[in-house]
Amino acid sequence: MNHADTMNDEGQTGGGKRGEMIVVCGAKGGIGKTAMAVNLAVALTKKNIHIGLLDGDLQFGDVALALDLHPTFTIKDVAPDIETMDRYALAGFLIHHSSGVKALAAPDRPEFADLIKPSVIERVCDLMLAQLDYLIVDTGAGLPESTLQFIEKADQIFVVTTLEMTAIKNTKLMLDTLELLGYRDKTQLVVNRATMESVIKAPDVPEILGFESAMYIPNEPQLVAQSLNVGIPFVSNQAKSEVAKAIFKMAEQLISRREISVFKPRHGSFLQQLFHKTSKSTT
């Protein structure tokens, strides 16, 4: 499936087709968002589809490091020409990983984050979605304005938590906020390090946080830490590990859901998401 052939520069087609945008977020740092986003992107490339990875942690992004990439350009370099940028020009700023993932790195210094205005985020996402089947966006901790913008554009939001009490407490607050904004219907709960020793047990987390179900990723801290340190995703060189199997399962679920949705027209899907509460009250 090649979306780029049928899309204009805004990432739109007559049929409303575009890539699917998955935003990975969490209420606090250090809970494994980047490792999950990077490995999910690489796992999806095994399906021979076009995958992009955008580092949306504009102050302290680690996507390039996690893939052992040394970017010549970052999203900061895209910003000055964003008004005239098309998808072909943007392609020159993407870094190609050996897996096939095309990544756009975060600025290399925290103060440059202020240069990434909402118009830059909007245009970059649209142009990447015009040439990709999936765009995975890694975000920083919490809900800064940029993360809220990614969330608004997302087709699916993966909210990551762990079994630690502080993570659960803050995740609850984050989920409450997303519900108030009307994004609950596109939110998935991901319990990372689900097999770690904890007073709170993994199967209890969805109920605590008001979800019927969750995706679970097992705890293999040494393997994940080594993967991040050497910049080789564990789905590439540790594909038989339990943590890699969990990420591959997540990728499978995304693909199967996408294949089902292909048969349903998705016209006006953003409006439907934004006004979900209204439509829900009338059904």
Side-chain angles (χ1 to χ4, degrees):
M1 190 193 313
N2 189 343
H3 293 293
D5 292 343
T6 56
M7 294 194 181
N8 64 22
D9 291 338
E10 278 66 47
Q12 298 163 334
T13 66
K17 288 183 183 176
R18 73 198 249 293
E20 191 162 320
M21 183 162 155
I22 312 293
V23 171
V24 179
C25 59
K28 65 192 293 277
I31 57 174
K33 292 186 303 295
T34 298
M36 192 188 110
V38 165
N39 280 277
L40 180 59
V42 174
L44 283 164
T45 65
K46 311 281 187 194
K47 303 293 176 186
N48 294 320
I49 52 181
H50 303 296
I51 307 299
L53 184 59
L54 173 57
D55 197 335
D57 185 349
L58 300 176
Q59 283 194 312
F60 300 106
D62 287 324
V63 161
L65 193 69
L67 289 169
D68 194 27
L69 296 172
H70 307 279
T72 309
F73 301 109
T74 74
I75 193 171
K76 175 181 81 77
D77 301 295
V78 175
D81 300 314
I82 197 64
E83 297 301 327
T84 56
M85 184 81 56
D86 62 21
R87 68 175 184 268
Y88 305 107
L90 182 68
F93 293 90
L94 305 180
I95 328 155
H96 292 239
H97 185 253
S98 57
S99 65
V101 170
K102 295 174 182 175
L104 184 58
D108 49 9
R109 295 193 57 81
E111 62 267 28
F112 294 150
D114 289 341
L115 301 173
I116 315 304
K117 305 297 183 192
S119 59
V120 177
I121 291 173
E122 180 77 17
R123 185 94 177 133
V124 163
C125 289
D126 284 342
L127 293 176
M128 291 186 79
L129 287 163
Q131 54 190 308
L132 299 165
D133 293 298
Y134 286 94
L135 173 60
I136 311 295
V137 182
D138 184 29
T139 63
L143 291 170
E145 186 182 347
S146 56
T147 296
L148 282 169
Q149 190 178 358
F150 288 125
I151 282 170
E152 182 179 327
K153 285 190 73 68
D155 294 287
Q156 290 192 62
I157 308 157
F158 286 173
V159 175
V160 183
T161 188
T162 64
L163 302 180
E164 293 163 353
M165 193 68 78
T166 52
I168 300 271
K169 186 267 286 184
N170 291 335
T171 301
K172 180 77 170 75
L173 293 172
M174 185 178 203
L175 290 167
D176 288 347
T177 305
L178 293 179
E179 180 153 19
L180 281 171
L181 292 170
Y183 301 136
R184 174 59 181 254
D185 59 321
K186 56 179 183 176
T187 301
Q188 304 270 338
L189 182 63
V190 182
V191 182
N192 195 23
R193 302 171 193 155
T195 52
M196 67 183 278
E197 287 291 318
S198 173
V199 175
I200 300 168
K201 301 305 174 195
D204 298 329
V205 174
E207 188 178 350
I208 293 169
L209 295 177
F211 274 73
E212 287 183 15
S213 61
M215 292 181 266
Y216 299 96
I217 300 175
N219 190 35
E220 296 194 50
Q222 287 177 305
L223 185 151
V224 175
Q226 183 187 22
S227 164
L228 289 169
N229 287 338
V230 299
I232 301 172
F234 54 75
V235 293
S236 297
N237 67 349
Q238 299 282 348
K240 297 277 172 44
S241 64
E242 292 306 309
V243 68
K245 286 177 187 172
I247 297 291
F248 281 123
K249 183 179 178 184
M250 191 180 287
E252 288 283 354
Q253 288 174 342
L254 275 176
I255 298 288
S256 60
R257 195 177 293 128
R258 178 68 185 264
E259 286 170 350
I260 291 165
S261 71
V262 165
F263 298 104
K264 298 176 184 174
R266 300 180 66 226
H267 303 299
S269 60
F270 282 135
L271 284 175
Q272 288 162 9
Q273 288 160 5
L274 287 170
F275 297 107
H276 169 68
K277 285 184 173 176
T278 313
S279 61
K280 200 172 178 182
S281 65
T282 58
T283 53

